[in-house]
Amino acid sequence: ATSAFVKVGEWQQATQLLHDMEHCSVEICTITYSAAISACEKANQWQQASRLLQRMSDDRVEMNNISCNAAMSACDKGGAW
């Protein structure tokens, strides 16, 4: 479901889904985080992308090229790089 939000840059829905998953004690994997970060990147939400990357680290979820590149791209587009 999260990847569907990426295509249209629906970052708010993607981050809400992460919140809902956490609330229901569903383990959030690398792919889900990466999709949410990518949705933020497409919507030029660099601060939220950065927060999600930090949250991945805090939750000890393995980062991959997709999550890191999407976060860096979001920061670059937002002029925060």
Side-chain angles (χ1 to χ4, degrees), residues 1-14:
T2 311
S3 61
F5 296 131
V6 174
K7 294 176 184 168
V8 291
E10 298 277 348
W11 69 275
Q12 292 169 318
Q13 288 85 345

Side-chain angles (χ1 to χ4, degrees), residues 6-27:
V6 174
K7 294 176 184 168
V8 291
E10 298 277 348
W11 69 275
Q12 292 169 318
Q13 288 85 345
T15 55
Q16 182 62 48
L17 180 59
L18 289 180
H19 175 75
D20 293 347
M21 290 173 71
E22 187 176 58
H23 182 71
C24 293
S25 300
V26 174
E27 185 175 339

Side-chain angles (χ1 to χ4, degrees), residues 9-68:
E10 298 277 348
W11 69 275
Q12 292 169 318
Q13 288 85 345
T15 55
Q16 182 62 48
L17 180 59
L18 289 180
H19 175 75
D20 293 347
M21 290 173 71
E22 187 176 58
H23 182 71
C24 293
S25 300
V26 174
E27 185 175 339
I28 305 170
C29 67
T30 301
I31 294 169
T32 306
Y33 268 113
S34 296
I37 293 170
S38 293
C40 292
E41 182 250 339
K42 290 196 182 310
N44 297 318
Q45 295 293 322
W46 69 270
Q47 293 150 324
Q48 186 63 32
S50 180
R51 279 188 217 106
L52 289 174
L53 194 67
Q54 180 61 53
R55 190 168 147 194
M56 281 182 83
S57 177
D58 294 346
D59 291 347
R60 300 193 192 294
V61 175
E62 183 178 346
M63 295 177 200
N64 63 12
N65 288 340
I66 296 169
S67 54
C68 292

